[in-house]
Amino acid sequence: MGDITALGYVGLTGPVEEWQEIADILGLQTATPSTPSEARFRVDERAWRIAVQAGEPGIGYIGWEVGSRAALARVRDKLGAAGFAVESDSGLARARGVLDVFTCRDPSGFRLEFFYGAEVSSAPFTSPTGARFITSSGGRTLGLGHVVMFVDDVQATSDLYMRLLEFQPSDSIIHGAMGATFAHINPRH
């Protein structure tokens, strides 16, 4: 496996009020601060894992976690050498509650954020429904379960995630002209 250790967080776009209702049903805890234009949710000891910003429904950003500043530099260098435009922003790191972060876009335009050092909340996670989310096992961070992306260029996307970022294939589903490829970066599917 490579330097990426987990799917650390996701930022979605959509109707914030509806997502608040969905979060209550799923047992997500509302993180602070949350506003009418952005809500953040907790599933574990992290300050947040899921954010929803007002807008048309979609994926705003995907946060991939690495274990150290050195690992972050290796991923940044690897993406830059492969021709991806990488951008660092200390303001974004503060906004995300991480020690360092950089961004780039995948071949279908999804915003990817690579980070390390996520903020841990001083308050315990309390699900409104009593739900328990598994984001670690045996002292190892597993992160969130999965993200589903519909992509324009399957080969270029596969090259990025499987070859360059060293995700491992889990399985594939082919149904007529439609297909799905599943990959993992840690023991979680």
Side-chain angles (χ1 to χ4, degrees):
M1 293 286 194
D3 286 313
I4 300 171
T5 60
L7 171 57
Y9 58 73
V10 293
L12 306 172
T13 54
V16 174
E17 285 182 23
E18 287 180 27
W19 268 99
Q20 185 66 59
E21 292 174 22
I22 292 167
D24 290 343
I25 292 168
L26 295 175
L28 308 178
Q29 179 184 4
T30 301
T32 55
S34 285
T35 68
S37 62
E38 181 186 46
R40 288 186 177 186
F41 303 100
R42 295 180 61 199
V43 299
D44 61 9
E45 75 283 350
R46 294 278 175 92
W48 69 282
R49 290 278 192 174
I50 301 167
V52 180
Q53 293 179 324
E56 289 297 313
I59 298 173
Y61 51 88
I62 302 165
W64 299 110
E65 185 169 3
V66 301
S68 67
R69 186 177 299 274
L72 189 66
R74 284 191 299 270
V75 173
R76 181 186 303 122
D77 292 348
K78 194 183 297 188
L79 287 164
F84 289 89
V86 297
E87 296 180 23
S88 295
D89 181 347
S90 59
L92 180 63
R94 282 190 300 280
R96 298 286 190 259
V98 299
L99 293 176
D100 200 1
V101 63
F102 75 88
T103 66
C104 72
R105 298 246 176 218
D106 79 0
S108 293
F110 288 104
R111 179 184 168 104
L112 306 180
E113 298 183 359
F114 299 88
F115 74 94
Y116 89 98
E119 178 183 356
V120 174
S121 178
S122 60
F125 168 68
T126 305
S127 168
T129 63
R132 184 172 165 260
F133 300 93
I134 299 172
T135 57
S136 63
S137 178
R140 182 176 183 173
T141 298
L142 299 176
L144 296 174
H146 62 275
V147 62
V148 177
M149 305 176 310
F150 293 94
V151 301
D152 301 322
D153 187 333
V154 173
Q155 188 59 54
T157 302
S158 180
D159 285 347
L160 168 64
Y161 290 98
M162 304 292 198
R163 183 186 53 77
L164 194 62
L165 298 177
E166 301 179 53
F167 284 40
Q168 300 300 308
S170 297
D171 53 75
S172 295
I173 298 172
I174 306 295
H175 182 72
M178 298 292 292
T181 300
F182 299 89
H184 62 276
I185 50 176
N186 61 37
R188 172 167 270 162
H189 188 276

